[in-house]
């Protein structure tokens, strides 16, 4: 019988922590406190420590983490924000929600992250901020980006939604800097399939800046201080106690799970070697410098992507495409007047990327099944 491999499988992980999660939930149900509270505070302290920042603010989602960060920096109508188009929609959507304009800069085709050498030419007098995205769990090339931001007095918001625990280490032997701690603010998502996933939506903003921290904290609760007196116009983006309680349980396993993702990535690399020597259509993920890649996704590149994906689906192998259409070509951004060909690296990546199953519980048999089915495709 052929081994089938789902793209992800949260049920297996849940089984391994079921008792702990249920007892954490029982505790919350006993208190009947469901919004913010000590569990959220404990999670904020845990994540701040983990990211090496002075503070962290729990919010309702990764999308809101971005929105609130932009609001805290005062980004608004007609301001411009530089970001890559090869990312989840929220990176740009949060900018547009505030009446500001996303200015798309192409990616480095090796890492899929924003190419810092293309940023300067897109900066104008209206530019307020840059949002690098640490896509798939690897940090963007932050040093040149931070240098530009400093020289041009721009804010940097890291979209670290996929990169909790990733480290940027451009120089061998140096300590890595954690995703989220390099910019003015860092944004995380705890969407269920993330490396640290809640049982619903949840997110976090981290920062070293006490003023920004205070502002995000107020803005997530309608800018109210004291209660019912509103200093700013915020939104309701409080983190649920239940989610914080679950995330605190799961956090204890995060390092172990990350190590397991990394060893699955290494195993894929080894399993693919034979195929790579005979087929030049496949490219494996590139790890830049000595970065700590946390492999939120394991993304290969293949010219025959759509045919391969269909073949694998018929063989019971789950895959996904992040992302099939870059944001500058989305219908909702037609008024920005980008054309196909404007950002070729992003466009080509959208046609060729294929995410393979990667999660801590993925077995050797399952990985062999994935690679063997890909081999079978090329033998056809
Ligand atoms: C790069 C990126 N940015 C932002 C988000 C938004 O996070 P959420 O889904 O928690 O709102 C995600 C989540 O999918 C993401 O992958």
């Amino acid at each position: 019988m052929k081994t089938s491999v789902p793209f992800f499988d949260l049920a297996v992980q849940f089984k391994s922590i079921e008792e702990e999660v249920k007892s954490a939930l029982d505790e919350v149900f006993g208190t009947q406190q469901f919004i913010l509270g000590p569990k959220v505070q404990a999670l904020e302290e845990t994540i701040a420590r983990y990211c090496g920042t002075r503070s962290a603010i729990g919010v309702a989602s990764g999308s809101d983490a971005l929105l609130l960060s932009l609001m805290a920096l005062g980004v608004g109508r007609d301001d411009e924000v530089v970001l890559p188009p090869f990312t989840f929609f929220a990176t740009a959507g949060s900018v547009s929600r505030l009446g500001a304009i996303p200015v798309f800069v192409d990616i480095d085709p090796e890492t899929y992250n924003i190419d810092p050498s293309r940023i300067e030419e897109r900066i104008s007098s209206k530019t307020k901020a840059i949002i690098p995205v640490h896509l798939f769990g690897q940090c963007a090339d932050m040093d040149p980006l931070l240098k530009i931001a400093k020289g041009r007095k721009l804010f940097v918001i890291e979209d670290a939604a996929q990169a909790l625990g990733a480290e940027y280490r451009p120089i061998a032997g140096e300590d890595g800097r954690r995703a989220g701690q390099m910019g003015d603010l860092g944004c995380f998502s705890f969407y269920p399939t993330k490396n640290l996933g809640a049982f619903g939506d949840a997110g976090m903003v981290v920062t070293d800046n006490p003023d920004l921290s205070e502002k995000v904290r107020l803005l997530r609760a309608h800018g109210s201080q004291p209660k019912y007196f509103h200093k700013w116009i915020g939104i309701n983006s409080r983190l649920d106690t239940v989610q914080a309680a679950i995330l605190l349980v799961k956090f204890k396993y995060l390092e172990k799970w990350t190590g397991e993702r990394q060893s699955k990535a290494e195993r894929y690399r080894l399993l693919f070697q034979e195929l790579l020597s005979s087929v030049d259509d496949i490219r494996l993920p590139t790890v830049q410098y000595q970065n700590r890649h946390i492999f939120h996704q394991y993304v290969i590149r293949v010219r025959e992507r759509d045919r391969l994906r269909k073949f694998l689906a018929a063989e019971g192998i789950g895959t996904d495409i992040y992302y099939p259409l870059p944001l500058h070509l989305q219908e909702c951004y037609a008024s920005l007047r980008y054309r196909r060909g404007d950002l070729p690296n992003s466009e080509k990546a959208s046609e060729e990327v294929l995410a393979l199953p990667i999660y801590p519980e993925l077995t050797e048999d399952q990985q062999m099944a994935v690679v063997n089915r890909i081999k079978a495709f090329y033998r056809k």
Side-chain angles (χ1 to χ4, degrees):
M1 208 182 76
K2 279 186 191 159
T3 313
S4 72
V5 188
F7 182 61
F8 56 82
D9 187 352
L10 295 174
V12 186
Q13 183 170 93
F14 178 58
K15 280 248 165 341
S16 71
I17 51 170
E18 186 167 357
E19 291 316 312
E20 273 184 281
V21 168
K22 283 182 172 164
S23 101
L25 287 177
D26 274 348
E27 199 188 320
V28 177
F29 298 157
T31 65
Q32 288 291 297
Q33 171 163 16
F34 294 113
I35 308 272
L36 300 175
K39 291 273 183 208
V40 171
Q41 199 183 330
L43 181 69
E44 291 173 341
E45 286 164 10
T46 302
I47 297 296
R49 218 176 304 118
Y50 187 68
C51 294
T53 57
R54 276 157 125 186
S55 64
I57 307 100
V59 298
S61 67
S63 303
D64 276 3
L66 288 162
L67 184 68
L68 287 161
S69 294
L70 289 160
M71 289 168 75
L73 295 174
V75 171
R77 185 148 300 282
D78 297 333
D79 288 338
E80 292 180 359
V81 179
V82 169
L83 49 91
F86 193 63
T87 174
F88 180 62
F89 182 74
T91 318
S94 57
V95 172
S96 307
R97 288 276 315 230
L98 295 171
I101 300 157
V103 173
F104 296 110
V105 166
D106 211 357
I107 54 165
D108 168 348
E110 291 296 322
T111 62
Y112 308 110
N113 286 324
I114 193 166
D115 179 349
S117 71
R118 294 169 192 265
I119 292 178
E120 290 261 23
E121 65 203 51
R122 302 290 283 140
I123 292 173
S124 78
S125 57
K126 291 180 177 173
T127 313
K128 282 278 156 48
I130 307 174
I131 310 184
V133 181
H134 305 316
L135 205 69
F136 305 144
Q138 171 166 228
C139 288
D141 195 5
M142 291 299 285
D143 277 346
L145 185 147
L146 290 166
K147 198 167 160 211
I148 295 166
K150 196 167 172 207
R152 301 292 205 118
K153 295 194 169 36
L154 303 174
F155 295 111
V156 174
I157 300 172
E158 295 174 66
D159 183 339
Q162 303 185 4
L164 183 62
E167 284 175 11
Y168 175 65
R169 194 179 302 134
I171 299 167
E174 287 230 327
D175 282 348
R177 279 165 281 158
R178 281 263 152 118
Q181 75 170 167
M182 294 176 273
D184 295 285
L185 300 129
C187 301
F188 293 97
S189 164
F190 303 121
Y191 183 80
T193 54
K194 293 289 191 280
N195 291 25
L196 180 65
F199 286 14
D201 279 312
M204 187 80 64
V205 177
V206 297
T207 181
D208 265 338
N209 180 318
D211 295 333
L212 289 175
S213 168
E214 176 67 3
K215 198 156 181 193
V216 172
R217 202 170 286 285
L218 293 186
L219 288 172
R220 77 170 167 188
H222 286 301
S224 137
Q225 190 187 50
K227 208 170 176 186
Y228 305 128
F229 291 82
H230 298 265
K231 191 171 165 135
W232 289 298
I233 300 169
I235 58 176
N236 171 10
S237 186
R238 300 168 300 216
L239 178 58
D240 287 345
T241 316
V242 158
Q243 302 303 349
I246 294 164
L247 289 166
L248 280 167
V249 170
K250 292 181 85 174
F251 180 81
K252 291 190 277 178
Y253 302 95
L254 181 62
E255 281 298 288
K256 176 172 161 279
W257 288 337
T258 298
E260 282 164 357
R261 282 175 181 273
Q262 290 166 329
S263 45
K264 314 287 159 181
E266 176 57 13
R267 188 186 284 149
Y268 268 137
R269 199 182 65 76
L270 296 173
L271 289 172
F272 270 118
Q273 287 314 307
E274 190 196 321
L275 188 59
L276 291 181
S277 60
S278 55
V279 172
D280 71 354
D281 186 35
I282 301 185
R283 275 155 68 190
L284 304 185
T286 304
V287 180
Q288 192 180 37
Y289 309 124
Q290 341 289 319
N291 284 352
R292 182 182 195 228
H293 192 322
I294 58 149
F295 288 101
H296 172 57
Q297 298 295 350
Y298 189 89
V299 175
I300 63 169
R301 263 185 104 131
V302 276
R303 282 190 297 274
E304 293 198 76
R305 192 264 317 272
D306 294 335
R307 269 197 339 110
L308 173 61
R309 183 165 195 235
K310 215 164 150 201
F311 175 83
L312 291 175
E315 298 279 323
I317 308 290
T319 59
D320 212 335
I321 296 172
Y322 305 109
Y323 295 91
L325 185 66
L327 301 185
H328 66 290
L329 299 179
Q330 296 286 344
E331 192 179 341
C332 65
Y333 284 134
S335 62
L336 296 179
R337 299 186 172 280
Y338 287 86
R339 293 227 184 83
R340 200 166 272 283
D342 284 348
L343 302 170
N345 294 340
S346 302
E347 292 161 27
K348 195 140 185 53
S350 288
E351 289 163 11
E352 296 185 347
V353 288
L354 187 67
L356 303 182
I358 189 157
Y359 33 90
E361 303 76 18
L362 191 69
T363 65
E364 186 166 0
D365 279 354
Q366 287 178 310
Q367 282 194 277
M368 277 166 42
V370 173
V371 177
N372 285 338
R373 300 327 296 153
I374 295 176
K375 281 183 184 166
F377 173 79
Y378 284 102
R379 268 202 306 269
K380 272 197 315 137

